[in-house]
Amino acid sequence: MTQQVVLTSLRELAGVRDLFAEAGPVPRARALVPVIRDSGPEEIEALAQAARQALGELGALLAGDGERRREAEQGLSRLRAVRGEAARLRRVAAELNEASRRAGALARSAFEPAAAKRAEGVAATAGRLVNRAEAHAATLEREAAALAERGDVARLLAEEQAQEEEARMRDELALAGEHLDGGRTGEARRLLSSVEEKISSAPDLELTFATLRRREQQVKTRAAEAALREARRLHRREPARAIELLEAAELEGLPEELARHLYGCWLTACRRLELLAAIHYRAGFGRGAVLIPAADGRWEVVSALGLRRWERGRRFAPRALRGARPLA
């Protein structure tokens, strides 16, 4: 049951501040609504003092958090330096190892005994230096691993990675827009599909992404409408050309009526090819194929619409085409 609390002065309001701070956030439905009945100088001064104290606490928290961030940034800077030094030592060790190998080969093959002896010394020295370089690298790599496991450093790394990913997505969206401007819908679609998988991590880019998706859909719809108009003009005299135009159209995501007209025109054009013993296999709305019997007993694709990897000439066993019907 909700209890009403009435405060009669600003002094009382300041007095209960700490009580509510300890209790944690108050649900909106139970929020305290003070009723002020006295606004004298003492009450105003008490409220001002409480406000100064709260602001002082906030300042101290901000200063402390800033110091912790600086420590984390120092740790991240050290991590990068250590990783760089470890990588450099690994490269030095690899070069020394190669020098030791070549010196050993020279010691075994040299015609001059003195040169062979000196080469042996170089090989031994290089071998010792390899061990020292690798030991130093291993020490630095352990330090880097420990730094990377620090919570504050790991958080900064995650923030940087998120910022880099957002920058990459921003560039990809800009490039997708350029592709759409240039009529390169396939390239734009691939970029947008890639960004879609990770857009939830960048809320600031969601509006741009949605706008580009709408533009891509509009471009795709206009292209499909143009293909349908041209195919209708050609399908009686040049059915093969009409089929090529329609195969290039992407039915997925199109308005249902447009997709139905595209599919119907494609099927009519396929029938006009007058293929012997051809069948029509429908895999779902806007997805189907026309096939003819092959010499090996399988069915060969003549044309497919809305089915990926059903390229012309691909063959299928009869059991894979259950539900197929004669084309005529």
Side-chain angles (χ1 to χ4, degrees):
M1 180 176 177
T2 302
Q3 254 186 327
Q4 184 178 15
V5 179
V6 178
L7 300 179
T8 59
S9 69
L10 293 175
R11 186 187 300 277
E12 291 180 1
L13 174 61
V16 299
R17 176 181 59 83
D18 293 336
L19 175 63
F20 281 94
E22 293 175 2
V26 179
R28 187 179 182 89
R30 299 178 59 193
L32 179 67
V33 180
V35 177
I36 305 300
R37 301 187 185 207
D38 190 357
S39 299
E42 292 184 2
E43 286 72 19
I44 293 174
E45 177 57 31
L47 181 59
Q49 177 62 30
R52 286 194 292 270
Q53 183 179 349
L55 291 173
E57 291 175 359
L58 177 60
L61 288 172
L62 290 172
D65 187 69
E67 182 61 30
R68 290 290 294 125
R69 177 168 283 273
R70 284 189 290 273
E71 291 175 3
E73 289 171 348
Q74 291 171 358
L76 181 57
S77 178
R78 175 61 182 168
L79 171 62
R80 287 176 175 147
V82 167
R83 282 177 171 172
E85 285 298 307
R88 188 167 71 90
L89 283 169
R90 290 295 182 188
R91 290 193 296 271
V92 169
E95 293 170 359
L96 287 169
N97 194 49
E98 176 62 15
S100 177
R101 185 191 67 78
R102 294 175 63 184
L106 179 60
R108 292 188 296 272
S109 63
F111 288 96
E112 178 63 42
K117 186 172 182 179
R118 289 178 63 187
E120 284 183 6
V122 171
T125 300
R128 288 193 297 272
L129 291 174
V130 168
N131 292 336
R132 289 176 60 187
E134 289 182 341
H136 282 301
T139 299
L140 290 174
E141 286 165 353
R142 286 193 294 272
E143 181 182 352
L147 284 168
E149 290 178 358
R150 268 177 49 180
D152 56 349
V153 174
R155 179 175 173 179
L156 281 184
L157 281 171
E159 288 178 2
E160 286 193 351
Q161 290 169 358
Q163 291 169 358
E164 291 170 359
E165 183 63 33
E166 182 172 338
R168 281 193 294 270
M169 284 192 284
R170 196 179 300 278
D171 291 341
E172 289 175 346
L173 290 174
L175 183 56
E178 293 175 7
H179 285 320
L180 288 174
D181 292 338
R184 299 180 294 276
T185 55
E187 291 87 343
R189 188 178 305 115
R190 282 191 290 273
L191 282 171
L192 292 174
S193 296
S194 173
V195 171
E196 188 172 16
E197 299 173 358
K198 48 199 175 184
I199 191 64
S200 60
S201 64
D204 292 345
L205 298 179
E206 287 182 348
L207 180 58
T208 302
F209 173 78
T211 301
L212 288 171
R213 268 299 192 201
R214 285 194 297 272
R215 283 185 59 197
E216 184 259 334
Q217 181 65 29
Q218 291 166 357
V219 170
K220 182 170 66 175
T221 300
R222 287 195 296 268
E225 290 171 343
L228 178 59
R229 285 194 300 270
E230 185 65 8
R232 281 173 168 170
R233 187 181 69 82
L234 295 171
H235 81 280
R236 288 186 175 84
R237 293 177 291 104
E238 301 179 63
R241 176 61 183 145
I243 289 169
E244 289 179 1
L245 288 170
L246 295 169
E247 284 177 339
E250 185 178 350
L251 274 66
E252 184 178 355
L254 291 178
E256 184 176 331
E257 184 177 1
L258 176 58
R260 185 180 295 108
H261 286 310
L262 282 163
Y263 194 89
C265 186
W266 167 78
L267 194 57
T268 299
C270 288
R271 290 191 175 112
R272 288 189 176 276
L273 293 176
E274 298 182 354
L275 300 168
L276 185 63
I279 61 172
H280 170 218
Y281 173 70
R282 187 156 190 169
F285 180 77
R287 297 185 299 124
V290 169
L291 307 95
I292 57 175
D296 60 1
R298 294 185 295 171
W299 291 92
E300 182 176 314
V301 175
V302 174
S303 177
L305 197 65
L307 294 174
R308 295 179 182 177
R309 296 186 294 275
W310 281 57
E311 62 274 5
R312 192 169 300 172
R314 185 174 179 181
R315 295 183 177 183
F316 292 90
R319 63 178 177 274
L321 302 170
R322 291 184 183 140
R325 296 288 184 269
L327 178 61

